[in-house]
Amino acid sequence: MIKTQVTVYLGPTLTRDRAQGLLDADYRPPIKRGDLPVTAADQIIVIIDGEFGQNLSVSPKEILRLLDQGVRVIGASSMGALRAAELQRFGMEGLGWIYDSFASGRLTRDDEVALTYSPIDSSPVTVPLVNVRYWLESLEKAGELDKATTLRMLRKAGQIFFGDRTFQVLRKELEAVVGKERFEYLLQTTGGVITDIKSCDACFALTRVSQAIKECSERRLFNG
């Protein structure tokens, strides 16, 4: 039986160990221009993280080349969500809340997903704006924040350059809007952390791919 090969471009969004537990794949660093293979027959390409500034980003043209060959290319969470939203009409698949937000036009700025991370272990150093957005909107839906306060807090977070938006800096700015005690309360309603929707989307995407491969394998076995 032919085994579907999966290549995943992953960085700070999710730890390699956690990802490997969800999907057995060939994990590679955040994608940059020139990283994609020229051909990828019998493969699934999953793009989660990608480089923005330190190297040229993977171009739509590179992905289109694979899509034209019938290669399944899936994107989620970060660079993958951005490219999937751009190329959905050409067959690239997108998964998750972040992808849906870009595909619908609700989000338009690439820096929503941008962050800085440690070159040693790829752990995030700053908080991406999209995580703050999802967290605040979830609190609003739960009745913990009113619309005006949500917008003020989001505006404060958005005024911080993504490379400077550490949790400490973000906390100080948001406390200036709602006060220290209120901020701490809001934080505790979500387990003491700002919801990491990028990580959630990555887990969702990898799980879906794993399930799809399993279902495909079962059909092959059933069909002899």
Side-chain angles (χ1 to χ4, degrees):
M1 181 173 60
I2 299 173
K3 182 179 179 180
T4 302
Q5 295 185 13
V6 185
T7 300
V8 181
Y9 294 91
L10 180 70
T13 292
L14 198 64
T15 65
R16 183 73 60 88
D17 287 346
R18 189 176 180 192
Q20 195 73 56
L22 298 171
L23 174 66
D24 183 19
D26 174 15
Y27 285 92
R28 302 184 182 182
I31 195 168
K32 61 182 183 299
R33 191 162 301 181
D35 281 348
L36 284 175
V38 176
T39 60
D42 298 319
Q43 287 192 46
I44 296 175
I45 304 293
V46 182
I47 300 175
I48 302 294
D49 290 306
E51 297 191 8
F52 286 88
Q54 57 272 59
N55 287 291
L56 292 175
S57 301
V58 60
S59 69
K61 184 177 181 180
E62 293 173 281
I63 298 172
L64 285 170
R65 182 180 64 219
L66 294 179
L67 293 174
D68 288 344
Q69 297 172 32
V71 177
R72 190 174 183 185
V73 185
I74 299 167
S77 300
S78 193
M79 177 62 74
L82 296 176
R83 289 293 180 261
E86 293 171 341
L87 301 175
Q88 57 177 322
R89 65 186 183 278
F90 299 107
M92 185 173 178
E93 303 170 53
L95 294 169
W97 185 87
I98 297 171
Y99 160 73
D100 289 340
S101 297
F102 277 106
S104 67
R106 182 167 173 268
L107 296 182
T108 58
R109 293 178 50 174
D110 291 3
D111 63 356
E112 283 268 352
V113 299
L115 54 72
T116 58
Y117 59 92
S118 168
I120 299 174
D121 60 3
S122 293
S123 59
V125 174
T126 59
V127 182
L129 185 60
V130 71
N131 282 1
V132 182
R133 181 184 296 277
Y134 182 87
W135 179 64
L136 291 174
E137 291 181 358
S138 296
L139 289 171
E140 183 186 338
K141 288 179 182 179
E144 299 290 353
L145 288 173
D146 58 70
K147 185 68 174 180
T149 304
T150 296
L151 291 175
R152 286 202 306 274
M153 294 177 75
L154 187 58
R155 192 176 304 114
K156 274 285 190 181
Q159 289 171 349
I160 309 169
F161 175 62
F162 80 86
D164 298 329
R165 198 186 296 118
T166 62
F167 178 74
Q168 291 74 19
V169 170
L170 179 62
R171 181 186 195 115
K172 181 179 179 180
E173 292 299 317
L174 297 186
E175 284 180 348
V177 178
V178 295
K180 290 184 178 181
E181 290 186 5
R182 180 62 176 166
F183 178 81
E184 186 59 34
Y185 168 79
L186 294 173
L187 204 60
Q188 291 307 313
T189 63
T190 52
V193 296
I194 290 173
T195 307
D196 189 351
I197 188 59
K198 289 184 69 175
S199 177
C200 292
D201 276 8
C203 289
F204 173 68
L206 296 180
T207 300
R208 284 286 298 272
V209 173
S210 180
Q211 291 172 343
I213 292 172
K214 181 180 179 181
E215 290 168 2
C216 184
S217 296
E218 290 174 347
R219 285 196 297 269
R220 286 171 178 167
L221 286 171
F222 181 78
N223 292 327

